[in-house]
Amino acid sequence: MRIRRQAEGTPRGRHRRRGLRAGVAVGAVLALAAGVVAGTNVLNGPTAEALTPPVGMTAEELPTWQTNGIVYAMAESDGVVYVGGTFSTIRPPGAASGTQEQPAVNFAALDAATGEPVEGCDLSFTIGSGIAQVRALDVSPDGNTLYVGGSFGSVNGSGASSLAAFDIPTCERKSFPTSANGIVRAIEAGADRVYLGGDFTELSGEARSRFGAVNLSGDVLSWTANADDIGKAIALTPDGKNVILGGDFFRMNGADSHALAIVSASTGANVRTYPVGFFHTNSTVQAIAVDSTSFYTGNEGTGGGVFDGRTAFNLSDFNERWRDTCLGATQDVLPYNGALYSVHHAHDCSSMGEFPNQSRYHMFAQDVTNQTKLSWFPNTNDGLGEAIGPRVMALTTDHPSDDRDFLWIGGGFTTVNGEAQWGLTRFASAPDTETPSTPETHATSLVPGRIDFTWRPSLDLDDSKLTYRVYRDGGTTPVHTVDASSLPWVRTQMTYTDTDVTAGESHTYRVTATDAAGNTSALSTPVTITAASSGQPYANAVRADNPLLYWQFNEPANTFASDSSGNNSGGVHRGGPTRGVTPPAVPGLDATGIAYDGEDAYTYSDRIYSGVTRLTLETWFKTSTTSGGQLIGQGNRTLEESTTRDNKIYMLNDGRLTFGLYNTTYRTITSPRSYNDGQWHHVAATVGANGMRLYVDGQQVASSILTTSARNATSYWRVGGDSLLGWPNRPTSDFFAGQIDEVAVYGTQLSQSRIAAHYAAATAPTDTVTTVEPTADTYVNGAAASANYGNNTQLAVRGSSAYESYLNFTLPSAPPGQVLKSAALRVRVSSDSVAGSVDDFTVVPIDGAWTETGTTYATRPALGSTVLGTLNAPDTPGGSHSVQLDLNTIRSALGTQYDMALTSTGTDSLWLWSGEYSTASYRPQLLLTFGAP
């Protein structure tokens, strides 16, 4: 019976062998490129070429029928993808296991463009005892024959010995009497013969050790390429002269050649061997793919650090061109238009200068010319069986009714991009419709006449190069446009410096990210900042000593730790440390700290550091813990506890501080007194020509001259916690429970005088910030007109149906000789998932009388029409948000009781913590900045 798709298309196109379609390779751009583009009048970017070249596949999984087991093999012809493995049924996308299933015994034929079964190719591969499996599939160069190998004894009830051939497109079995006495794991069909690899030692009763060849009628040929262990991969060179063999073997035709060999296509004689040592003895070649100039291997290693990655070879001389040593068992490789796609469970690419050991990536694309990782990161889970995720790929480029190309992936996974999907998934060359993630942002003003707006680059699973557009004060024309490239583990902070500002002015900033196809992220949450009228003494002292990174921890929410050093050395919060904690260690407008829980919360640097052998570590801390923990240190991992650790300041159980480094042995110095007294303390530790020194509150408390240099550690800075395994006097907890603020790392040993100057600067005369909590607060509810909410721990605001929130503050008078320089209302969104709002909220004066315990919606006070300030889209649950208030109005009310209301015209409700909330820093606060006129 002729195979028929669900919808008939155009006549069959030319069959293309997997991996032979090659294009022009374009290297991935990893460095930031900056520039300003003017004249764009819309928030969405222009439509551009889809994807970032040479990535040619989107990362958006398409609806695909599923298996109930593991897929080991795939091949394609004329838009049909043939699938083999160990499964008994297939079911539609979205169907749960055990539902809507139809029989498919270890084999299925699916339409590449629709993902649905094709009619007329119902083959069942079974075995009398044991588990039948289809392990190899290939299509003849003319597209007329499908070859199937594995471990099976019959096809549709008719005898077979692990090999069979079928006519395409009728799917009728052809005469192909070859039998194998072991599993057939690899098939490569040539124009006049078929090459086989596997566990077998005989083909049709003739001795053939792990590799062999038969003619198109199935007769065993004299071609001999005997290996001493399993054959797993076969590929013909494009000129047809040579065959590339891969597997577990150590000898090929008696010669030393481990895991890889090249033999003559006509005789099987050795052409090129790769002796033991070229690949580790515990590394095997699982897959081979070829394009017009190169061939590629995918390797799997057993044991720690054994080669698990991918290697590229020149076809001209069979020499290695590059090797990717990421760890994580590569199962298949496939070149396509200048990119090499691979499936694996890569978990540690630190040997490549990329991500350290962490959660697994199961798919990569990289530049075929130089192995650079490209932005293509769809993902699966580990799934069934050996729990190694995807195992095989197939490419279809000639579908009769769809001009897109499709990349199919099979294996033992049970999720794709976080959604349930078993065994099979697929991706297309177009369209790219996924938007980049919304950037996380922050703004600061440390210098008069300047505002720095920073953000962490967005994630896009199939675009590394994105265009960012910065908007100011609600405008629709960007004030700054910049292109930048990033990967999930390299998202270097970006900064727009706005110098078109006047001291005391407030400005609001937002940014979008647009990919190459024109998909644009949502606008980031608005960030409002007041331009500094004077410098900040502490920040000036820190920045004057050229820190490598400087985290002030003033961000109100989310996971981005903004860097103020000028080096764009941002960080990432893990484990949900509490943001926006007040009072901070160093006073200042919008200044806050961060609190860690002592369990699993920490912050790590977004970039890896090396070559820092003389250094200074500096931070402020406040705690009453008796369990100790790390304040700051270096570690080789970001998402897990580090296995290599160095350059640490940590607290002992009794509150003493230890500074240590590892230089052939542990070298530590410890303070004589404890500092877990619930007060803010400044700590700095240095190593260099003056040895190791530890300072607390500007004074040296410990030293050693035995060590003058730290080792050259290639690792990340971590604040708040990391493993302290093996370190002297290890405390009960490796993670710090307490507040931290103003973290800085320097690449030099600062002098005692500079440390003392930093400490003194924290209390230097400057503008002061007075924090005022509400004397009373409540909200009213239009849907419950007689209800009073004065004792509620939350406030609510919404336009329709109406909520309004009221606050009363007792305003202080200005200190002698000072004036009010700014006033801001800070509120914290409550932690409920729907507490945040995308609407804007206005602050207005209250003209009428009200009381906290007596006011209801029915008796609500009259409100003034003057807008004191606007709170823009406080959409982050748990986030702290500030709104600048009209300065003249608040100045005139100093020394009196002042009432204000939060109102809205929108429909998205906002829930805030009230003055009744137990944690003081979560309550509404009025921040009044006083300074010299």
Side-chain angles (χ1 to χ4, degrees):
M1 177 183 293
R2 178 177 295 275
I3 298 174
R4 183 167 60 85
R5 295 179 179 80
Q6 304 297 75
E8 291 293 343
T10 56
R12 180 174 12 153
R14 180 173 65 88
H15 168 74
R16 289 177 176 149
R17 182 179 306 282
R18 184 186 79 181
L20 288 181
R21 186 179 183 194
V24 179
V26 180
V29 181
L30 292 179
L32 297 178
V36 177
V37 178
T40 303
N41 294 316
V42 294
L43 295 184
N44 288 336
T47 300
E49 179 186 358
L51 309 177
T52 303
V55 172
M57 291 289 167
T58 72
E60 300 158 40
E61 74 280 10
L62 300 175
T64 309
W65 277 58
Q66 310 171 73
T67 66
N68 68 343
I70 300 174
V71 172
Y72 288 105
M74 291 196 290
E76 68 83 26
S77 180
D78 191 26
V80 175
V81 175
Y82 302 99
V83 176
T86 55
F87 51 87
S88 58
T89 66
I90 56 175
R91 62 183 187 276
S97 177
T99 66
Q100 304 181 55
E101 293 184 334
Q102 65 184 49
V105 182
N106 301 316
F107 178 86
L110 305 171
D111 187 288
T114 68
E116 299 176 351
V118 298
E119 297 179 8
C121 197
D122 300 321
L123 304 178
S124 175
F125 293 81
T126 57
I127 197 168
S129 62
I131 300 173
Q133 49 187 309
V134 172
R135 283 279 189 163
L137 294 167
D138 200 29
V139 173
S140 61
D142 60 11
N144 292 327
T145 304
L146 172 68
Y147 297 97
V148 182
S151 177
F152 48 85
S154 65
V155 181
N156 290 355
S158 178
S161 183
S162 297
L163 277 166
F166 302 87
D167 177 62
I168 298 176
T170 65
C171 215
E172 295 178 355
R173 188 171 176 184
K174 300 176 71 170
S175 175
F176 193 73
T178 310
S179 62
N181 70 340
I183 302 172
V184 176
R185 298 178 184 268
I187 301 175
E188 178 77 352
D192 62 351
R193 62 184 61 193
V194 180
Y195 300 93
L196 307 171
D199 300 30
F200 56 82
T201 56
E202 292 182 356
L203 290 176
S204 298
E206 297 189 33
R208 294 290 186 273
S209 183
R210 278 72 181 208
F211 293 99
V214 299
N215 62 23
L216 302 187
S217 298
D219 301 321
V220 178
L221 300 177
S222 60
W223 186 89
T224 302
N226 285 331
D228 62 341
D229 212 334
I230 298 172
K232 291 182 174 178
I234 309 173
L236 269 167
T237 56
D239 60 12
K241 294 180 179 180
N242 298 294
V243 183
I244 309 165
L245 306 177
D248 298 0
F249 53 83
F250 287 84
R251 305 194 71 79
M252 177 59 62
N253 292 325
D256 179 6
S257 195
H258 173 52
L260 180 68
I262 300 174
V263 300
S264 166
S266 58
T267 67
N270 291 348
V271 173
R272 173 69 179 268
T273 56
Y274 298 86
V276 170
F278 183 85
F279 288 133
H280 190 282
T281 55
N282 290 348
S283 179
T284 62
V285 170
Q286 301 292 108
I288 300 170
V290 178
D291 63 18
S292 59
T293 63
S294 309
F295 75 90
Y296 311 87
T297 69
N299 285 54
E300 176 178 290
T302 302
V306 176
F307 179 54
D308 259 349
R310 295 148 296 283
T311 307
F313 297 80
N314 301 317
L315 283 173
S316 58
D317 56 14
F318 303 137
N319 288 335
E320 178 183 312
R321 188 168 72 251
W322 55 255
R323 182 178 294 198
D324 184 319
T325 55
C326 288
L327 298 177
T330 304
Q331 300 299 304
D332 203 5
V333 289
L334 192 157
Y336 169 72
N337 281 1
L340 181 69
Y341 295 82
S342 56
V343 292
H344 38 69
H345 56 262
H347 58 90
D348 186 351
C349 288
S350 55
S351 64
M352 303 294 294
E354 296 164 350
F355 58 87
N357 196 38
Q358 59 179 36
S359 53
R360 295 176 168 186
Y361 291 92
H362 290 90
M363 306 178 204
F364 279 160
Q366 52 200 133
D367 194 308
V368 296
T369 64
N370 59 19
Q371 77 193 15
T372 300
K373 299 292 191 308
L374 305 173
S375 189
W376 188 75
F377 296 101
N379 209 359
T380 73
N381 65 351
D382 290 341
L384 308 171
E386 297 172 83
I388 57 176
R391 291 177 173 270
V392 63
M393 296 183 286
L395 177 70
T396 178
T397 62
D398 55 1
H399 194 281
S401 60
D402 194 318
D403 61 3
R404 294 178 296 170
D405 296 342
F406 296 92
L407 177 63
W408 280 66
I409 294 178
F413 49 85
T414 58
T415 66
V416 178
N417 289 348
E419 300 294 329
Q421 176 70 24
W422 285 43
L424 288 168
T425 190
R426 62 198 177 97
F427 306 91
S429 55
D432 177 14
T433 60
E434 282 294 316
T435 60
S437 63
T438 303
E440 293 185 14
T441 61
H442 181 60
T444 189
S445 183
L446 300 178
V447 178
R450 167 175 165 170
I451 292 174
D452 289 318
F453 175 60
T454 60
W455 67 95
R456 190 179 188 217
S458 301
L459 274 181
D460 190 303
L461 295 184
D462 46 29
D463 286 281
S464 58
K465 185 177 181 180
L466 301 175
T467 298
Y468 297 91
R469 292 177 173 85
V470 177
Y471 301 90
R472 191 175 86 160
D473 298 334
T476 58
T477 299
V479 295
H480 179 69
T481 300
V482 61
D483 290 343
S485 293
S486 61
L487 296 172
W489 56 87
V490 183
R491 296 169 64 188
T492 304
Q493 173 182 299
M494 302 189 67
T495 301
Y496 164 59
T497 298
D498 189 356
T499 57
D500 185 19
V501 298
T502 301
E505 286 183 345
S506 294
H507 294 284
T508 298
Y509 300 87
R510 306 180 83 174
V511 64
T512 62
T514 303
D515 67 15
N519 302 306
T520 299
S521 73
L523 280 162
S524 63
T525 300
V527 175
T528 301
I529 185 74
T530 300
S533 56
S534 61
Q536 299 184 22
Y538 185 81
N540 289 346
V542 169
R543 285 155 56 97
D545 287 319
N546 300 312
L548 299 175
L549 65 79
Y550 177 27
W551 296 340
Q552 295 186 281
F553 292 142
N554 293 339
E555 309 82 23
N558 298 319
T559 62
F560 172 48
S562 178
D563 171 51
S564 297
S565 72
N567 297 316
N568 284 324
S569 302
V572 182
H573 301 298
R574 292 271 296 175
T578 303
R579 318 302 315 284
V581 175
T582 57
V586 180
L589 184 62
D590 288 331
T592 63
I594 190 169
Y596 297 97
D597 60 9
E599 296 178 2
D600 59 2
Y602 62 97
T603 304
Y604 67 86
S605 61
D606 202 59
R607 63 172 59 171
I608 196 167
Y609 289 80
S610 62
V612 184
T613 57
R614 296 186 176 187
L615 56 87
T616 299
L617 310 180
E618 179 180 38
T619 189
W620 290 77
F621 68 92
K622 177 182 178 182
T623 186
S624 56
T625 184
T626 57
S627 299
Q630 174 177 301
L631 277 72
I632 183 171
Q634 274 187 295
N636 66 333
R637 294 184 179 179
T638 57
L639 304 185
E640 299 177 353
E641 293 189 28
S642 299
T643 57
T644 300
R645 304 162 294 272
D646 213 338
N647 304 325
K648 291 180 177 289
I649 300 176
Y650 59 98
M651 180 173 280
L652 308 185
N653 287 345
D654 61 7
R656 290 182 298 153
L657 296 171
T658 292
F659 169 49
L661 53 84
Y662 185 88
N663 197 341
T664 68
T665 187
Y666 293 105
R667 308 281 187 179
T668 61
I669 53 177
T670 300
S671 69
R673 59 156 289 192
S674 300
Y675 298 95
N676 55 345
D677 54 9
Q679 302 297 314
W680 279 112
H681 293 284
H682 174 263
V683 60
T686 74
V687 63
N690 293 323
M692 297 172 63
R693 299 194 175 193
L694 179 64
Y695 304 87
V696 180
D697 296 337
Q699 301 296 315
Q700 181 176 302
V701 297
S703 65
S704 171
I705 60 172
L706 297 178
T707 301
T708 59
S709 177
R711 65 173 171 173
N712 184 359
T714 299
S715 50
Y716 302 83
W717 291 105
R718 291 182 46 142
V719 172
D722 198 3
S723 174
L724 289 167
L725 180 66
W727 284 77
N729 300 313
R730 183 185 185 184
T732 301
S733 175
D734 292 346
F735 288 77
F736 181 72
Q739 299 175 33
I740 290 181
D741 202 1
E742 302 286 339
V743 171
V745 175
Y746 308 82
T748 58
Q749 184 178 37
L750 296 186
S751 66
Q752 182 170 0
S753 62
R754 289 307 300 158
I755 300 296
H758 287 199
Y759 177 68
T763 55
T766 184
D767 293 351
T768 59
V769 179
T770 299
T771 300
V772 183
E773 290 190 6
T775 307
D777 60 8
T778 190
Y779 76 95
V780 295
N781 179 359
S786 61
N788 173 265
Y789 299 95
N791 294 319
N792 204 301
T793 59
Q794 297 190 64
L795 302 174
V797 192
R798 185 172 63 197
S800 177
S801 300
Y803 297 135
E804 291 178 352
S805 286
Y806 310 135
L807 302 101
N808 171 267
F809 293 94
T810 300
L811 302 183
S813 298
Q818 296 187 350
V819 297
L820 182 68
K821 304 183 76 171
S822 73
L825 174 66
R826 175 186 287 158
V827 293
R828 184 181 287 271
V829 179
S830 60
S831 56
D832 190 276
S833 61
V834 297
S837 176
V838 297
D839 291 338
D840 291 342
F841 299 84
T842 55
V843 184
V844 298
I846 299 175
D847 289 344
W850 67 281
T851 63
E852 181 175 80
T853 58
T855 298
T856 68
Y857 188 82
T859 63
R860 68 191 185 278
L863 305 182
S865 60
T866 302
V867 176
L868 300 178
T870 301
L871 184 64
N872 299 115
D875 61 353
T876 306
S880 175
H881 298 268
S882 298
V883 50
Q884 293 293 319
L885 303 179
D886 181 75
L887 187 58
N888 289 330
T889 300
I890 305 302
R891 272 180 178 171
S892 65
L894 291 176
T896 70
Q897 297 285 321
Y898 192 77
D899 300 292
M900 62 184 70
L902 277 166
T903 68
S904 174
T905 59
T907 59
D908 190 9
S909 58
L910 172 67
W911 290 88
L912 308 169
W913 295 121
S914 76
E916 277 69 37
Y917 193 70
S918 57
T919 302
S921 62
Y922 284 28
R923 302 166 190 163
Q925 297 173 336
L926 199 60
L927 306 177
L928 305 177
T929 303
F930 295 100

